Amino acid sequence: MRTFRRTNRVFNPGLLGAGAATLVLLVWLVAGHGTARHGLGESDTKGARSLRALNEAWTASLRARGDKL
């Protein structure tokens, strides 16, 4: 209150709203990035590794077939 009397300055509501919106957006982006990173790590664990095992089995079966001929 003392600063207002001395300088006659008031908070700019638009600037305060823009700052709050920026803060909300930053939190939203950080949360989204964390979720995407978690999903990517989980996809490697559950998706790519099982696909790698399937490819190895397929390759082994083709080699076994080729050895027969």
Side-chain angles (χ1 to χ4, degrees), residues 37-60:
R37 185 177 173 104
H38 174 70
L40 186 61
E42 192 172 312
S43 72
D44 181 47
T45 303
K46 293 183 178 177
R49 288 184 185 166
S50 62
L51 186 60
R52 194 174 303 127
L54 184 62
N55 285 337
E56 288 172 5
W58 177 260
T59 304

Side-chain angles (χ1 to χ4, degrees), residues 1 3-4 7 14 19 41 50 64 66-67 69:
M1 191 69 175
T3 306
F4 172 72
T7 62
S50 62
D67 289 343
L69 299 174

Side-chain angles (χ1 to χ4, degrees), residues 22-47:
T22 302
L23 184 63
V24 167
L25 181 65
L26 182 64
V27 169
W28 179 271
L29 287 173
V30 167
H33 178 74
T35 303
R37 185 177 173 104
H38 174 70
L40 186 61
E42 192 172 312
S43 72
D44 181 47
T45 303
K46 293 183 178 177

